[in-house]
Amino acid sequence: MERRDFIRTGCLACIGGTAITLGLQACSSAYYAKQIDLKQNNLVIKKSEFIEVKKDGKQNMRNVIVAKYEKLGFPIALFHLGEDQYSAIYLECTHQGNEVQPHGNYLVCEGHGSEFDNKGKVTQGPAEKALRTFNVKTDEEYIYITLA
């Protein structure tokens, strides 16, 4: 194989691999909580929403779920950080107000490419301010996101 053909083949393989990876990430969608209640200015979500049951009966823990409540302008991402530790993040980008999307353990604004960690802090601009967060409390069965 000549050098020119080798370089062209290598470049096409890299571009194709990148496109496939981006396409697969775009297809993966976040899990939306099925039951959300509002009690005394708290969104209430069952901890069991984080449990994903596979077709073979095995269970996995989701690292993020999305809570959509009709009276809020944007959804809230709820990240499971560890044993009874959660972070709740309002999914409105601080750059220009686009909706931010969960991608694994971080958030991406697909409008201009800003990225945020699972606590709402900016990891890549153009956004300069962290996302709005909410206080989270738990008990044995529920997670409470304080909206005030």
Side-chain angles (χ1 to χ4, degrees):
M1 180 181 284
E2 290 186 25
R3 180 181 171 166
R4 179 176 288 173
D5 292 333
F6 176 77
I7 291 171
R8 184 178 350 183
T9 302
C11 288
L12 289 174
C14 287
I15 291 169
T18 302
I20 289 171
T21 301
L22 291 173
L24 289 175
Q25 284 181 346
C27 290
S28 66
S29 60
Y31 173 80
Y32 282 77
K34 303 274 189 255
Q35 283 189 303
I36 302 169
D37 292 318
L38 182 65
K39 293 182 182 173
Q40 300 175 356
N41 211 29
N42 290 298
L43 284 183
V44 182
I45 301 168
K46 282 190 167 193
K47 287 182 179 180
S48 61
E49 292 277 6
F50 278 94
I51 299 171
E52 175 183 20
V53 180
K54 299 284 189 174
K55 290 180 183 177
D56 60 5
K58 293 182 181 176
Q59 293 183 351
N60 287 340
M61 285 295 289
R62 296 181 174 95
N63 67 327
V64 63
I65 62 173
V66 178
K68 192 165 187 162
Y69 189 72
E70 68 272 355
K71 293 185 181 180
L72 296 173
F74 289 88
I76 294 174
L78 186 60
F79 283 94
H80 183 238
L81 303 175
E83 186 68 30
D84 235 20
Q85 294 180 339
Y86 300 88
S87 68
I89 304 167
Y90 193 58
L91 296 180
E92 180 182 15
C93 185
T94 56
H95 175 237
Q96 289 190 347
N98 294 322
E99 186 170 323
V100 178
Q101 301 295 319
H103 286 270
N105 212 26
Y106 63 99
L107 300 162
V108 176
C109 177
E110 297 177 6
H112 297 100
S114 294
E115 293 184 10
F116 305 86
D117 67 13
N118 61 4
K119 294 183 181 177
K121 295 179 183 158
V122 178
T123 58
Q124 177 178 310
E128 295 177 356
K129 291 179 6 185
L131 298 174
R132 179 180 174 196
T133 59
F134 300 93
N135 289 330
V136 178
K137 294 180 183 177
T138 64
D139 63 20
E140 290 285 321
E141 192 176 351
Y142 296 99
I143 302 163
Y144 304 91
I145 302 170
T146 304
L147 298 178

